[in-house]
Amino acid sequence: MIARCWYCLLLLLMLGAAPGGQAAPGGSVWVLGIDDAIGPASADYLVRGLEQAQEQGAQLVVIRLDTPGGLDSSMRQIIKAIIASPVPVASFVAPSGARAASAGTYILYASHVAAMAPGTNLGAATPVQVGAPGPPSTPASKDKDEKASAPEGQDALTRKQVNDAAAYIRGLAQLRGRNADWAEKAVREAVSLPANEALRLKVVDLVANDLPDLLRQLDGKTLEVAGQPRQLQTAGALVLEHPPDWRTRLLAVITNPSVALILIMIGVYGLLFEFMNPGSGVGGVVGGICLLLALYALQLLPVSYAGVALILLGLAFMIAEAFLPSFGVVGFGGIVAFVVGAVILMDTEAPGFGIPLGLIVSLAVLSAVLLGGVLGMALKARQRALVSGDAGLVGSLVTVTQVMADNPFCGSVQAQGEQWQVQCATPLQPGQHVRVIARHGVMLEVSATAPAAQGE
């Protein structure tokens, strides 16, 4: 009897370990969240989260979405990870009032399960224009543009981007069996849908009030994952929240375009102060770290290289103003170059990746104030009397430190931190105060001003 019980227990364990079996008990449910613009940080967070969920044997990953959109490159990186994931992915637009606009709509379409909470919306998936706008379409080409389902005024590059995005989201819709026509309409016409309408048009699969309601509706549902059927057992499953870790938060901060611009400023000025005052170390260390972080952030962001070049050129001009007698011309040109470069730095209009004009102006004003301070100190320094070289040496009062034994008219003095040989028309005594009247090579000519101190 005991042997039979052990046999039944072993059989149950083997059935539970069977991969892909619909009767296999489910594992935990991982919950990841995006509540901001989609960028390099959120892409890294989701890709690593999917990999860790697979390693931990999760049966489902829920991505809670609330995003205005983001970068196309980061969005495609996330979608590739979702499609290749052996763990089912459910994208859930929640809580009420959230949205999955632009890039969020693509992620929703790519997921194995698309769900929304009441009071949420998705759509407006038209790709934003990259770079400077092109020339408007002529009236003669208006009919052609309308046939291409592109808004009037779009140039050829924008139409190519729209057509590519429409084909991409239509492919995702066909992969998951969702409404492909509305998906293309969301790209070409930037339309949006609330949750109930999205469910009616088969854009999403479920409308759930919250996460427990979503898991209740998914319980027992069979999904096709990597070509294999997978039955979910989410009722009573262990739910594990995995918020962004320190790495994701740090990456989100430094890949903010405004922060990257500030890091560039700190890096350049830190190195400048280190070069002006070598040996302190603080400026070099802080400046080097900030500049490397800024360069790392810029290589992850869609930046305009012309903007980066103008920013660096502007900073170089402002630094050169401190060393060139241009009376502010070079410095003013540097400020103009910096402002223009900062304005065109980001080669995208994706939400959350612009640089506020107020920040640009503030940094330019700060640079101008620093430049004005440097120029003021330079002008004051030019008005001061020289205290070094021949101009500072001739006329100075020095003390005789040594007199030659065989020639009392010659000796040595300490002047400007150096030992000098001197000669005088009258005999010299140690400790006597003399004034330098001329310099002849390495020999100073002095004249006696006072007798030597008594006892010296």
Side-chain angles (χ1 to χ4, degrees):
M1 184 68 181
I2 297 178
R4 182 176 298 179
C5 291
W6 278 106
Y7 176 78
C8 294
L9 180 60
L10 180 61
L11 181 60
L12 288 174
L13 291 175
M14 292 177 63
L15 289 175
Q22 294 186 0
S28 60
V29 175
W30 279 42
V31 181
L32 308 176
I34 299 179
D35 57 359
D36 202 351
I38 295 173
S42 50
D44 177 77
Y45 163 62
L46 287 181
V47 171
R48 288 192 298 113
L50 291 175
E51 293 175 351
Q52 293 171 3
Q54 177 188 355
E55 295 173 356
Q56 297 297 324
Q59 66 162 323
L60 177 68
V61 173
V62 177
I63 301 176
R64 192 160 41 209
L65 283 175
D66 182 11
T67 176
L71 300 180
D72 178 79
S73 58
S74 300
M75 174 199 74
R76 291 178 183 261
Q77 185 180 354
I78 294 172
I79 290 176
K80 289 178 181 178
I82 291 175
I83 294 176
S85 174
V87 180
V89 177
S91 290
F92 183 33
V93 186
S96 296
R99 57 176 171 168
S102 190
T105 301
Y106 291 83
I107 295 175
L108 200 67
Y109 261 88
S111 302
H112 301 88
V113 177
M116 299 177 68
T120 59
N121 67 282
L122 80 162
T126 303
V128 295
Q129 188 169 0
V130 177
S137 304
T138 60
S141 62
K142 180 178 178 180
D143 294 338
K144 183 178 180 181
D145 292 343
E146 290 176 349
K147 291 179 181 178
S149 300
E152 181 182 357
Q154 288 183 340
D155 58 9
L157 176 60
T158 304
R159 290 197 299 272
K160 289 179 181 179
Q161 293 171 347
V162 170
N163 291 335
D164 176 71
Y168 187 55
I169 199 170
R170 176 173 281 274
L172 295 175
Q174 293 172 352
L175 176 66
R176 302 304 185 196
R178 301 195 179 102
N179 192 330
D181 293 334
W182 185 89
E184 184 171 354
K185 190 176 180 181
V187 172
R188 297 191 181 278
E189 301 179 19
V191 295
S192 298
L193 273 182
N196 292 332
E197 287 295 315
L199 180 63
R200 184 180 65 83
L201 295 177
K202 297 182 179 180
V203 174
V204 298
D205 306 310
L206 299 171
V207 173
N209 295 324
D210 49 25
L211 182 59
D213 186 25
L214 173 65
L215 298 181
R216 181 185 59 80
Q217 296 186 48
L218 289 177
D219 186 46
K221 188 178 181 64
T222 301
L223 303 175
E224 184 175 344
V225 183
Q228 299 292 329
R230 181 76 62 87
Q231 187 179 40
L232 300 178
Q233 297 182 8
T234 54
L238 177 63
V239 178
L240 300 176
E241 294 274 354
H242 289 272
D245 56 8
W246 68 269
R247 168 178 167 175
T248 301
R249 292 193 294 268
L250 175 62
L251 191 60
V253 170
I254 64 175
T255 53
N256 185 306
S258 299
V259 175
L261 183 61
I262 295 174
L263 288 175
I264 291 177
M265 295 284 294
I266 297 176
V268 171
Y269 282 120
L271 294 179
L272 171 65
F273 293 147
E274 180 65 25
F275 292 149
M276 294 177 64
N277 300 281
S280 63
V282 177
V285 172
V286 175
I289 292 174
C290 291
L291 196 58
L292 288 176
L293 287 176
L295 294 177
Y296 174 70
L298 292 180
Q299 66 95 17
L300 292 176
L301 295 170
V303 298
S304 167
Y305 292 107
V308 176
L310 281 172
I311 289 175
L312 297 179
L313 183 64
L315 292 174
F317 281 170
M318 287 186 281
I319 292 172
E321 180 63 39
F323 303 96
L324 298 177
S326 63
F327 303 100
V329 176
V330 175
F332 179 76
I335 294 175
V336 172
F338 174 81
V339 172
V340 174
V343 169
I344 68 172
L345 176 63
M346 296 308 299
D347 195 15
T348 181
E349 296 179 7
F353 288 91
I355 301 179
L357 185 60
L359 175 63
I360 297 174
V361 174
S362 300
L363 293 177
V365 171
L366 178 61
S367 298
V369 171
L370 291 176
L371 179 61
V374 172
L375 289 176
M377 289 187 292
L379 291 176
K380 289 181 180 179
R382 294 185 64 179
Q383 295 173 356
R384 293 175 183 171
L386 292 176
V387 294
S388 62
D390 288 350
L393 189 61
V394 176
S396 62
L397 190 65
V398 295
T399 303
V400 178
T401 59
Q402 185 179 1
V403 178
M404 296 182 64
D406 57 346
N407 188 359
F409 297 95
C410 296
S412 60
V413 298
Q414 189 79 14
Q416 294 185 355
E418 297 176 333
Q419 194 77 11
W420 291 83
Q421 298 296 321
V422 297
Q423 61 180 6
C424 184
T426 58
L428 297 172
Q429 297 182 23
Q432 180 183 2
H433 296 288
V434 294
R435 187 175 301 278
V436 180
I437 59 176
R439 174 188 173 189
H440 306 288
V442 295
M443 179 69 70
L444 299 181
E445 184 177 350
V446 297
S447 62
T449 58
Q454 295 294 330
E456 294 182 350

